[in-house]
Amino acid sequence: FKDKSPYEYKTLLEHGYKSHDRYFLLKKKVGFEDYKQMKQFPLLRLGRNKSGFIAETKNIRLNPYQLLAYRTIGLDRENSQKVGLEQTYDTALKGTAGKRLVRFIAGGVAVPVDDSNFTIDPENGKDIVATLDMHIQEITENALMKMMEGNQATHGCAIVMEVNTGKIKAIANIGKRTDGNYWEDFNYALTPTEPGSTFKLVTLLSALEDNKVSLTNMIDLQGGVWQINGRTVYDAEKHGLNYVTVKKAF
């Protein structure tokens, strides 16, 4: 690991052996590449039962793009719920844990039983490929951040979809933290909420596109009160208007 000389490591191991320690901690936070290289050492190639080497695995989710699509890609947290793609595809990502047969001796110590019939090797999890385009994601994130800071908004989201395929190219979710800074703290884009008046534009665009109505058509607003399927629907404001153009109504 380039932090001690071979002699220092040998001295450490000999000290642990002479102290009759059943378990001797050799190193914490070893990177996976270093671990793979270490597994090629002559003693460790003999396997866990003969070498006595035990590795405790800790999985973490690295976010090389930091803020970008942070909540969408998701988090793998040890003592909290997973979120994002990490949660949805958890069973595919984590693979299968290995199993082995052990017997317990004095002091409750588990000793591996060298029996291949009861040993199951672990299997690596699968990779998943999302439709996110990190170039588009960065542009989307920056545009949203600019608007958030300019308006001192509490939270906001932006989604970019490729209309020909329906593929989501970017999802940006930004919220204001207690310290005043902004971060991808929650997946606002996928939080079920009523679309409110913004949906009126979508509805009108559909009607115009299908030639069901034009902007100059006259409609009766009935003063802002409608009877629909036995229920009374009220407009947000008491405007008292009746016959107006579609454009005026909107």
Side-chain angles (χ1 to χ4, degrees), residues 121-178:
D121 292 329
E123 292 183 12
N124 290 332
K126 294 180 172 63
D127 292 332
I128 63 169
V129 180
T131 60
L132 296 178
D133 182 310
M134 297 317 288
H135 176 65
I136 299 174
Q137 179 71 37
E138 184 176 19
I139 295 170
T140 307
E141 204 96 38
N142 289 338
L144 179 60
M145 182 70 80
K146 184 178 179 180
M147 294 303 295
M148 293 287 292
E149 292 174 341
N151 293 283
Q152 286 297 295
T154 56
H155 64 269
C157 69
I159 307 173
V160 178
M161 184 181 77
E162 188 177 73
V163 292
N164 288 337
T165 62
K167 291 179 179 179
I168 302 300
K169 292 298 183 179
I171 301 183
N173 297 279
I174 299 178
K176 180 183 272 189
R177 299 197 290 192
T178 52

Side-chain angles (χ1 to χ4, degrees), residues 70-71 155 173-177 183-188:
Y70 185 70
R71 289 295 287 208
H155 64 269
N173 297 279
I174 299 178
K176 180 183 272 189
R177 299 197 290 192
W183 189 253
E184 280 238 353
D185 61 342
F186 190 75
N187 203 336
Y188 301 104

Side-chain angles (χ1 to χ4, degrees), residues 59-168:
N59 296 313
I60 59 171
R61 170 62 56 220
L62 297 175
N63 293 86
Y65 295 104
Q66 297 299 314
L67 178 70
L68 299 185
Y70 185 70
R71 289 295 287 208
T72 305
I73 293 170
L75 309 172
D76 182 2
R77 298 176 290 193
E78 201 167 320
N79 299 313
S80 188
Q81 184 182 10
K82 297 177 182 180
V83 298
L85 296 175
E86 188 71 58
Q87 178 189 40
T88 305
Y89 296 99
D90 180 55
T91 53
L93 287 165
K94 71 181 179 183
T96 306
K99 293 183 179 180
R100 60 168 187 160
L101 185 68
V102 300
R103 62 185 177 87
F104 290 92
I105 59 176
V109 178
V111 177
V113 175
D114 193 8
D115 189 337
S116 59
N117 293 325
F118 293 95
T119 302
I120 301 175
D121 292 329
E123 292 183 12
N124 290 332
K126 294 180 172 63
D127 292 332
I128 63 169
V129 180
T131 60
L132 296 178
D133 182 310
M134 297 317 288
H135 176 65
I136 299 174
Q137 179 71 37
E138 184 176 19
I139 295 170
T140 307
E141 204 96 38
N142 289 338
L144 179 60
M145 182 70 80
K146 184 178 179 180
M147 294 303 295
M148 293 287 292
E149 292 174 341
N151 293 283
Q152 286 297 295
T154 56
H155 64 269
C157 69
I159 307 173
V160 178
M161 184 181 77
E162 188 177 73
V163 292
N164 288 337
T165 62
K167 291 179 179 179
I168 302 300

